[in-house]
Amino acid sequence: MKRRKITGDILTYIFLLGMSASCLLPFFWMVRSSLMKLSQIFIMPPVWLPNPVRFDNYAKALTVLPFNQYFLNTVIIVVGGVSGTIITSAICAFAFARLRWPGRDFVFGAILTSMMLPYAVTLIPTFIGWRLLNAIDSFYPLIVPAWFGGGVFNIFLLRQFYRTIPMDLDEAALIDGAGYMRIFTQIIMPLTRPAMVVVGLFSFMYYWNDFLGPLVYLNSDKNFTLSLGLQLFRGMYNAQWELMMAASTVVIAPVLIVFLLGQKYFIEGIAMTGMKG
Amino acid sequence: MRTKKEAIAGWLFAMPVVLGFIIFTLGPMLASLVLSFTDYRVLIQPKFVGFDNYTNLFSGLDPFFYKSLLVTSYYVVLSVPAQLIFAFSIALIMNRDIKFRALFRSIYYLPSIVPAVAISMIWLWLLNPDLGLVNSLLKSAGLPTSLWIFSEKTVIPSLVFMSLWTTGGTMVIFLAGLQGIPRHLYEAVEIDGGNSLQSFTHVTLPMMSPTIFFNLVMGFIGGFQSFTSAYIMTQGGPNNASLFYVFYLYREAFTFQKMGSASAIAWVLFVIISILTVLVFRSSNMWVYYEGEAKN
Amino acid sequence: MKRRIALFLALVMVLGILFSACGAAGPATSAAPASVKPAESALATPAPKQPVTLKFTYWGSPIEKDAVVKTMANFQKKYPYITVDAQHIPADYETKITTMVAGNTAPDIAYLGEGLAFPWAEEGKIYNILEFLDKDTELKKESFLSNIWYDWAPGKSIGTNTAVEAFAIFYNKELTEKAGVTVPITADTAWTWEQFVEAAQKLTIDGNGKNALDSAFDSKNIKQYGVQFGTWWAGWLWAVYSNGGDYLNADGTEFTLTKPEAVEAIQKMSDLINKYHVCPSPIQSKALPAPTVSLQSKQVAMSIDGQWCLLDLGAADFKFGVGVLPKLKTSITLVLGSPTVIFKSTKYPEEAWLLYKWLANPESSIDLQAGGLWMPLLKDWYTKPELISKWAENNAAHPDGYKDAIMKQTMTNGVPGPSYTIKNFAKIDAIVGAALEQVWLGEKTAKEALDGIADKVKPELKGRYGK
């Protein structure tokens, strides 16, 4: 019995290490390419380590890409988008998961349909709408929708988590005279912190990487974001891979940091393990 | 009295998304529905053409419609279960008490962060039929090799296989779900003398069913609309064997400038996804267990 | 409550209809300024005028972007009353410009793919450049190369390319010298197909150092390919042209890639891969870097490509040469590019024309011309030595032989590509391109593949522009 467990463990670790290697590979490829000469990147069989190491790819990439300006713009959009998403998606999910009201399931179904139509055909009408509001070349079209529910994906996700919490808690609180807002902020939110962190993480990734929104709504260079800037390295007929990889490495570094910080919370930050059903 | 108060609260809490849907989503959706009955080339006044765009598609006059629908359905049928099982298994392992858990978790999420082009480059090399690592491993193990993304038969399964590496998001959702399962339920199974398989089927699966349900619905809504990484690697080939539906639609809209026809293509997809979603939601009564409703 | 929902729904419907109505009505109003006629003449030194802002959109790599920014600054220096709001669109140009145009925020002047430019021009949303040229005192239609015009109807033209591009052979000099191969540079000395294949065989080397003419040559283990070409339409269509074939017949009503001369040419291209093994297959190509890099890294000896690759070759650190394309029947090169257009919705057609002229003048973008990315639009720059010396010689991007192999060839034997005239070309090519993938992979002959799609192509044939 014990022997079987040990072999099982060894097999698990072998699997985990193999998976890790394959997951690290693209990241490694990106970083090593960012330090190479263009001609070295594609040699077959691959050259694993750059020789010579060309740190000046980074310097070059960052002169093409006005990092500070784009970074600031990206941060504004990310902060506005993520906070709106977390707050309003949680509020709305509460309505769909914990409250009974006429038309609830119909409304939920209706908003779910907004994910089912490919954006290619709604892009132009949406753009026309924002133009009528005179909001082209501003951050409003990118941030404001986040404050209206923050996307069905997030509402649906939180709804699923909220629904796993026993209803007794709400009933008891209501009897104690608590309002719905208090139930939401004092019972539901603390109990579903992992899910909230997931929503925060996903919406951070979404706004950080969003390319189409900024492309369509932003016109002037001074408003560009990092993900838009990355496209600079993709020429009409040729791509400057080494610079693109250097810039990509710089641009995804903050995402990596946010993930490393966030993942602690949705694993170790659980206060609900002892909860009674 | 309470139900009325609750109803008002319900509408109030849902108000952001209700307003958001009406302001930002509904208008464009209806606009595209109207346009799907027109010949619309953006600069030119839309001309009403009745059901022409739809009959063009279904009569097979458009050479890409059935092909891309087939390709995409095939991809969805394979990828949704594969991704769910894979991400769930990884999440289960990551939820166990293993060493360097945090490190592994971060590493597995890495491919979801790295730009798609970097991942595609790696796969193009790994799966190269002549020089790739995968085929040389298969060869040295005496196994048959494959043309992977270069053959009409294997391109979709290959893309499904590759998609498993970017299921980090699904894994994270599963992990968050697993964390929400109260310990005492497992303890109860243990006290009753149950083994680990029983605690999996009696605790983990039912408690995780809302999360599985979510990932299932999102999996196929997303699956029907995915194309980015496939496009980078195959450009729809060989011979349209990986011509994904949304790529086909996008090309119709912006490259061929047939916005009316593209809207029709989009609404066909809309109907397909809606029907499937309704079916999955109907079925959820039978297998999704909500603790929050168990005692209602 | 019910009532309120009903009210909501009603509001929703109204909003939705309003949105779609605006979408529909938007472009119509944009036609209003179309009545503004181009000014009588554009003066070289303008009198003080009302300040004007022109919106200009373009694509391109950082190098192109820098060049455009520079030339716009010079333009504004010359015309202080004009401000150019130049917007660089880094990717997905079609999506962005379509959205801008649909949203009634079209630029005044823009780079535009011909797939979008032609239908819009036909609907009267783009200026006929000939109207401006007729009235212009400095520039005549005859000043431009004759094979670079996008005419949507007789006497109606979107204009010319933004810059000229043409196809040729680019090769690694060290490799050809070692193999004793000389790549011809003039049209009358161009290789026949047999000579070309033989040269490619000499330049294809396996892991044991044997070339493709050797009986012991191992086609499974190739270290250096003799030749490489891209499988998009320009990569093989030059061979069809050279063999007397065409994509469609003269009035665009018949799909002529199924004719023997076209099939033969495409089959010959496929044979390079699948019969002679002197060219990488699409599978092997995926393991190769960009053509300019594989030349330098000696994975490929000759590359058939557009002349834009001179930009990269000029910057690379190895000896390269250029040569004319081999001929099947006649020696030609394929000319391609995409237009710069002036939108009818512009409020300032006169100033837009000044900018158009400015961009058409090679002098204002001389860095891109001398750098190898672009070729000039104006004839004089191909014939007058003092102008030629400004771009086509004495720089790293233009080696010896360039003037014969590319510059002269473009002017005298340059055949414009199909996108200059064929209606609905993007869609037709999507069908053809997919079918030809089977040919390059060696799964079908050119005849089988092309005959197989003839019926699918037929309903997409809409004729040719300019007729």
Side-chain angles (χ1 to χ4, degrees):
Chain A
M1 188 66 194
K2 192 150 189 208
R3 191 125 145 246
R4 230 179 79 198
K5 192 174 178 308
I6 291 173
T7 28
D9 276 359
I10 290 175
L11 282 177
T12 308
Y13 278 105
I14 289 176
F15 172 76
L16 290 177
L17 286 174
M19 273 297 295
S20 303
S22 66
C23 288
L24 279 169
L25 202 57
F27 183 74
F28 175 76
W29 191 89
M30 177 181 70
V31 175
R32 69 110 218 187
S33 304
S34 73
L35 294 168
M36 278 182 168
K37 256 171 79 173
L38 178 60
S39 54
Q40 214 173 21
I41 294 178
F42 294 100
I43 291 177
M44 278 288 163
V47 180
W48 290 104
L49 293 174
N51 182 28
V53 179
R54 288 165 57 107
F55 284 107
D56 59 328
N57 285 345
Y58 282 83
K60 255 193 228 156
L62 293 182
T63 46
V64 174
L65 182 82
F67 186 83
N68 291 344
Q69 182 64 48
Y70 289 9
F71 179 77
L72 192 71
N73 294 335
T74 310
V75 167
I76 294 171
I77 293 169
V78 165
V79 169
V82 172
S83 50
T85 300
I86 292 180
I87 294 169
T88 59
S89 67
I91 291 174
C92 295
F94 180 74
F96 292 113
R98 312 294 295 184
L99 300 173
R100 284 152 299 182
W101 41 287
R104 178 181 75 172
D105 294 342
F106 172 77
V107 171
F108 188 70
I111 60 163
L112 208 55
T113 61
S114 61
M115 291 191 77
M116 299 176 189
L117 199 63
Y119 65 82
V121 295
T122 49
L123 191 64
I124 287 177
T126 314
F127 179 86
I128 291 171
W130 283 110
R131 192 186 56 91
L132 292 176
L133 295 172
N134 236 340
I136 302 305
D137 205 19
S138 76
F139 297 150
Y140 293 112
L142 305 172
I143 296 174
V144 171
W147 288 87
F148 288 86
V152 192
F153 180 92
N154 298 313
I155 295 176
F156 189 11
L157 178 65
L158 290 177
R159 167 190 182 261
Q160 293 306 92
F161 279 88
Y162 290 175
R163 285 179 80 173
T164 60
I165 300 167
M167 224 44 189
D168 303 1
L169 295 174
D170 300 30
E171 312 277 333
L174 278 172
I175 290 164
D176 291 350
Y180 290 109
M181 201 59 189
R182 249 188 74 203
I183 296 176
F184 171 58
T185 52
Q186 315 238 315
I187 299 176
I188 304 298
M189 292 233 299
L191 287 176
T192 52
R193 208 159 61 172
M196 300 283 282
V197 175
V198 170
V199 167
L201 177 75
F202 283 2
S203 55
F204 176 85
M205 295 255 309
Y206 172 80
Y207 286 103
W208 191 266
N209 294 327
D210 183 22
F211 158 69
L212 196 81
L215 176 83
V216 168
Y217 292 109
L218 303 178
N219 290 334
S220 33
D221 234 15
K222 67 175 192 337
N223 287 332
F224 275 20
T225 63
L226 287 173
S227 66
L228 213 47
L230 279 184
Q231 302 297 321
L232 278 172
F233 302 102
R234 214 173 69 180
M236 185 64 170
Y237 299 110
N238 48 354
Q240 289 164 300
W241 284 97
E242 77 283 28
L243 301 188
M244 185 156 66
M245 289 300 130
S248 298
T249 308
V250 175
V251 169
I252 73 161
V255 186
L256 206 59
I257 293 167
V258 166
F259 181 78
L260 287 173
L261 295 176
Q263 61 117 10
K264 252 176 92 172
Y265 283 95
F266 61 77
I267 306 300
E268 274 88 15
I270 308 305
M272 61 194 294
T273 36
M275 255 226 356
K276 286 268 178 294
Chain B
M1 182 59 208
R2 219 194 73 210
T3 46
K4 192 174 174 203
K5 214 176 126 197
E6 193 173 347
I8 294 170
W11 274 99
L12 280 177
F13 272 88
M15 201 44 70
V17 72
V18 170
L19 284 177
F21 181 71
I22 293 167
I23 299 169
F24 300 115
T25 315
L26 196 59
M29 280 177 80
L30 291 175
S32 77
L33 182 62
V34 171
L35 289 175
S36 78
F37 296 101
T38 65
D39 179 11
Y40 177 43
R41 301 188 172 217
V42 179
L43 251 183
I44 299 144
Q45 281 277 27
K47 270 196 299 277
F48 187 72
V49 294
F51 282 90
D52 277 11
N53 290 326
Y54 291 94
T55 45
N56 265 357
L57 297 178
F58 288 108
S59 68
L61 201 63
D62 184 306
F64 304 114
F65 174 70
Y66 283 114
K67 180 77 187 178
S68 68
L69 195 56
L70 202 71
V71 162
T72 313
S73 309
Y74 183 33
Y75 177 79
V76 170
V77 166
L78 285 187
S79 72
V80 171
Q83 290 173 0
L84 279 189
I85 292 168
F86 185 78
F88 194 45
S89 316
I90 297 283
L92 283 174
I93 298 173
M94 288 299 101
N95 199 41
R96 282 171 52 190
D97 189 20
I98 50 168
K99 285 203 169 61
F100 309 115
R101 193 161 70 158
L103 184 68
F104 281 127
R105 251 176 349 226
S106 308
I107 290 173
Y108 293 166
Y109 195 65
L110 213 49
S112 305
I113 302 177
V114 174
V117 280
I119 299 187
S120 307
M121 282 299 144
I122 287 293
W123 280 116
L124 280 176
W125 166 60
L126 287 175
L127 295 183
N128 189 286
D130 301 330
L131 306 159
L133 187 69
V134 177
N135 267 4
S136 21
L137 285 177
L138 287 174
K139 222 181 276 172
S140 57
L143 293 167
T145 58
S146 168
L147 282 173
W148 302 109
I149 61 166
F150 295 99
S151 138
E152 290 180 48
K153 285 206 185 70
T154 49
V155 60
I156 293 293
S158 305
L159 289 170
V160 171
F161 178 66
M162 288 181 253
S163 76
L164 298 181
W165 265 257
T166 43
T167 50
T170 315
M171 177 197 79
V172 163
I173 295 171
F174 277 133
L175 264 178
L178 286 169
Q179 290 299 318
I181 301 176
R183 279 287 132 79
H184 67 87
L185 293 178
Y186 289 111
E187 283 155 14
V189 176
E190 248 168 70
I191 291 165
D192 292 348
N195 58 25
S196 55
L197 182 70
Q198 277 161 333
S199 70
F200 179 72
T201 52
H202 288 105
V203 178
T204 312
L205 271 186
M207 292 302 287
M208 284 299 283
S209 61
T211 323
I212 296 172
F213 173 66
F214 171 82
N215 279 328
L216 176 68
V217 173
M218 287 303 143
F220 73 77
I221 291 182
F224 270 110
Q225 300 189 47
S226 71
F227 74 91
T228 319
S229 62
Y231 178 67
I232 296 172
M233 277 184 275
T234 66
Q235 287 87 39
N239 195 23
N240 294 325
S242 60
L243 183 71
F244 279 86
Y245 197 84
V246 171
F247 171 61
Y248 152 64
L249 183 163
Y250 202 89
R251 196 171 67 173
E252 188 83 2
F254 293 102
T255 308
F256 305 158
Q257 289 284 308
K258 290 178 182 157
M259 206 52 79
S261 155
S263 300
I265 295 168
W267 276 90
V268 171
L269 184 69
F270 180 87
V271 170
I272 293 172
I273 297 180
S274 311
I275 291 173
L276 281 171
T277 311
V278 169
L279 289 178
V280 177
F281 266 82
R282 285 271 157 81
S283 80
S284 72
N285 292 334
M286 295 186 296
W287 62 275
V288 180
Y289 168 79
Y290 294 108
E291 180 83 8
E293 273 157 26
K295 283 167 194 162
N296 276 2
Chain C
M1 204 71 222
K2 274 257 164 69
R3 199 122 139 261
R4 218 172 291 172
I5 298 169
L7 209 71
F8 251 150
L9 282 176
L11 193 73
V12 162
M13 292 302 285
V14 170
L15 271 173
I17 290 160
L18 215 66
F19 253 64
S20 48
C22 290
T29 49
S30 76
S35 55
V36 183
K37 283 271 168 330
E40 282 306 298
S41 97
L43 298 170
T45 16
K49 288 186 180 176
Q50 288 292 314
V52 164
T53 301
L54 288 177
K55 188 153 87 177
F56 167 63
T57 60
Y58 65 107
W59 61 67
S61 60
I63 296 171
E64 286 178 77
K65 190 183 171 193
D66 285 348
V68 170
V69 169
K70 203 166 128 190
T71 194
M72 289 303 158
N74 289 334
F75 177 77
Q76 293 176 61
K77 230 178 266 163
K78 186 169 175 199
Y79 302 103
Y81 73 104
I82 304 177
T83 310
V84 182
D85 172 17
Q87 296 178 6
H88 179 255
I89 299 174
D92 289 18
Y93 195 86
E94 286 171 344
T95 312
K96 170 92 181 179
I97 196 98
T98 305
T99 316
M100 287 172 96
V101 164
N104 223 353
T105 55
D108 299 295
I109 169 169
Y111 287 12
L112 195 61
E114 54 273 42
L116 272 59
F118 269 127
W120 292 354
E122 269 194 313
E123 294 292 327
K125 308 296 181 190
I126 283 172
Y127 266 110
N128 178 4
I129 290 299
L130 300 179
E131 279 178 36
F132 293 104
L133 271 173
D134 281 347
K135 288 165 188 149
D136 199 277
T137 49
E138 299 171 331
L139 206 55
K140 283 194 280 296
K141 186 180 184 208
E142 290 68 41
S143 320
F144 291 85
L145 293 185
S146 57
N147 49 8
I148 54 170
W149 287 86
Y150 293 90
D151 296 347
W152 77 85
K156 298 201 165 166
S157 189
I158 295 168
T160 67
N161 294 7
T162 303
V164 181
E165 298 294 353
F167 262 61
I169 294 179
F170 302 86
Y171 61 93
N172 183 321
K173 241 181 175 158
E174 191 190 325
L175 299 179
T176 52
E177 274 164 17
K178 207 161 77 187
V181 168
T182 315
V183 185
I185 54 167
T186 60
D188 49 324
T189 58
W191 276 329
T192 63
W193 194 260
E194 290 68 34
Q195 291 169 323
F196 169 59
V197 171
E198 198 192 328
Q201 284 173 314
K202 280 186 196 160
L203 288 165
T204 304
I205 313 243
D206 71 7
N208 304 318
K210 297 205 162 34
N211 72 28
L213 287 167
D214 199 306
S215 56
F217 172 70
D218 179 8
S219 66
K220 294 264 181 295
N221 178 22
I222 296 173
K223 282 279 169 277
Q224 172 190 316
Y225 290 96
V227 66
Q228 181 187 42
F229 66 92
T231 53
W232 61 299
W233 60 264
W236 47 265
L237 191 61
W238 61 270
V240 174
Y241 283 167
S242 173
N243 208 28
D246 202 345
Y247 215 108
L248 304 184
N249 67 352
D251 60 3
T253 52
E254 196 191 339
F255 180 57
T256 51
L257 283 182
T258 50
K259 298 260 171 186
E261 58 273 17
V263 168
E264 187 197 7
I266 293 171
Q267 188 59 49
K268 278 186 164 160
M269 294 297 283
S270 164
D271 286 348
L272 293 175
I273 301 169
N274 299 304
K275 184 173 164 194
Y276 297 108
H277 305 288
V278 295
C279 177
S281 72
I283 298 176
Q284 290 148 344
S285 292
K286 287 275 187 198
L288 291 172
T292 49
V293 181
S294 55
L295 281 182
Q296 183 180 11
S297 56
K298 299 182 185 172
Q299 287 156 294
V300 171
M302 300 187 286
S303 170
I304 291 173
D305 206 346
Q307 80 106 39
W308 55 78
C309 70
L310 289 170
L311 176 73
D312 291 346
L313 290 173
D317 181 25
F318 76 108
K319 274 176 77 182
F320 71 94
V322 297
V324 282
L325 296 171
K327 65 177 178 203
L328 287 99
K329 286 197 184 109
T330 49
S331 176
I332 57 105
T333 183
L334 180 72
V335 173
L336 65 163
S338 54
T340 300
V341 308
I342 300 177
F343 280 91
K344 269 276 168 74
S345 54
T346 180
K347 288 198 194 98
Y348 313 108
E350 196 182 328
E351 285 76 16
W353 170 243
L354 287 177
L355 182 58
Y356 187 97
K357 267 204 314 186
W358 179 268
L359 290 169
N361 183 357
E363 196 83 59
S364 54
S365 53
I366 194 69
D367 292 349
L368 293 178
Q369 326 272 346
L373 189 66
W374 287 7
M375 289 205 290
L377 303 171
L378 302 178
K379 255 185 209 158
D380 283 355
W381 289 70
Y382 291 74
T383 51
K384 294 196 172 147
E386 72 274 17
L387 291 179
I388 291 173
S389 69
K390 286 190 183 177
W391 67 283
E393 52 193 25
N394 301 325
N395 59 49
H398 296 90
D400 294 343
Y402 175 85
K403 281 184 281 179
D404 283 311
I406 299 182
M407 193 183 83
K408 272 195 194 140
Q409 187 75 349
T410 300
M411 199 168 116
T412 50
N413 298 316
V415 183
S419 58
Y420 281 90
T421 53
I422 295 179
K423 292 185 179 178
N424 202 22
F425 178 67
K427 187 147 192 186
I428 296 171
D429 186 57
I431 301 172
V432 172
L436 287 180
E437 280 170 21
Q438 300 164 287
V439 178
W440 312 130
L441 285 167
E443 290 163 0
K444 279 191 179 171
T445 65
K447 185 158 176 46
E448 287 165 359
L450 290 162
D451 284 346
I453 51 159
D455 287 341
K456 275 196 204 168
V457 172
K458 212 165 191 181
E460 304 298 338
L461 299 180
K462 304 276 151 74
R464 285 188 193 254
Y465 291 106
K467 298 287 163 196

